[in-house]
Amino acid sequence: EAGVTQFPSHSVIEKGQTVTLRCDPISGHDNLYWYRRVMGKEIKFLLHFVKESKQDESGMPNNRFLAERTGGTYSTLKVQPAELEDSGVYFCASSLGVEGFYEQYFGPGTRLTVT
Amino acid sequence: GESVGLHLPTLSVQEGDNSIINCAYSNSASDYFIWYKQESGKGPQFIIDIRSNMDKRQGQRVTVLLNKTVKHLSLQIAATQPGDSAVYFCAEQDSGGYQKVTFGTGTKLQVIP
């Protein structure tokens, strides 16, 4: 069974440009999460989808970040316009259930560098 | 604010010895804790979890201990191997419909052959 996949693995863009990250969860997982780790800091939650709906977006830093999950399958995270402080590693995770505790499976991450 | 944090940033252990990685948390209402392992170029990987109604849980070569009195978690790795070299995170996961994971800062484990 394929795990969570993310694309691209690495992106280098200039400040002010737009970048779109993609996450493909494990097939059948209704829950999809985005996290990120900026330099020197811990991994922080961004948001949580249940199917195509945003369950919790309390971690989104500002309105330059837009996450979508049309059709409840893959998700995209767009940063527009990118700022220097957006540099870091963006992780996506997926899980099967909602009630109780379900293991979240993480993808390898997308390393974003804003110059 | 609420946080899950780690005491030591780096731990060096001789191959074959046991490793102990510690973690403190501040939210006394925390109900579910997880240890993750992250190898270079990969995402966090689930190792073991423990509910707040337990003090100890064992897996294959790993044991997690929970001390709710002092809000402390530890991960013990028996007979540490070179493949155990990685960054280890303790984390707390919300329950119910909100499942976000709150990570600590991480401890880098270096296994000396």
Side-chain angles (χ1 to χ4, degrees), chain A residues 19-86:
Chain A
V19 63
T20 300
L21 314 181
R22 173 170 170 145
C23 168
D24 285 80
I26 293 172
S27 178
H29 282 193
D30 286 341
N31 295 278
L32 188 148
Y33 313 82
W34 283 98
Y35 296 83
R36 74 172 180 175
R37 184 174 191 178
V38 295
M39 186 63 68
K41 301 287 184 65
E42 62 270 28
I43 299 172
K44 290 276 198 182
F45 168 84
L46 295 178
L47 90 160
H48 169 200
F49 283 100
V50 177
K51 297 184 181 179
E52 66 276 7
S53 299
K54 292 176 184 174
Q55 173 79 353
D56 180 1
E57 49 184 329
S58 62
M60 293 289 266
N62 52 60
N63 59 10
R64 295 186 294 103
F65 289 75
L66 175 63
E68 295 180 321
R69 193 183 182 197
T70 306
T73 54
Y74 71 91
S75 174
T76 58
L77 179 65
K78 180 190 288 187
V79 185
Q80 180 182 29
E83 298 289 345
L84 297 178
E85 64 264 25
D86 300 331

Side-chain angles (χ1 to χ4, degrees), chain B residues 34-73:
Chain B
I34 310 160
W35 281 99
Y36 288 94
K37 172 185 181 183
Q38 186 181 12
E39 297 174 282
S40 180
K42 297 183 179 179
Q45 178 186 8
F46 175 97
I47 301 174
I48 191 168
D49 59 357
I50 188 166
R51 294 287 300 267
S52 60
N53 60 355
M54 303 172 68
D55 297 322
K56 179 179 180 179
R57 189 152 191 237
Q58 287 184 293
Q60 187 177 10
R61 285 199 307 116
V62 294
T63 300
V64 56
L65 299 178
L66 174 62
N67 185 330
K68 294 180 286 295
T69 303
V70 295
K71 292 184 281 189
H72 184 269
L73 274 167

Side-chain angles (χ1 to χ4, degrees), chain A residues 66-115:
Chain A
L66 175 63
E68 295 180 321
R69 193 183 182 197
T70 306
T73 54
Y74 71 91
S75 174
T76 58
L77 179 65
K78 180 190 288 187
V79 185
Q80 180 182 29
E83 298 289 345
L84 297 178
E85 64 264 25
D86 300 331
S87 294
V89 182
Y90 290 75
F91 294 103
C92 175
S94 71
S95 71
L96 189 58
V98 175
E99 292 302 319
F101 299 103
Y102 286 86
E103 179 180 346
Q104 294 184 18
Y105 297 84
F106 283 79
T110 293
R111 179 172 295 278
L112 174 64
T113 303
V114 183
T115 62

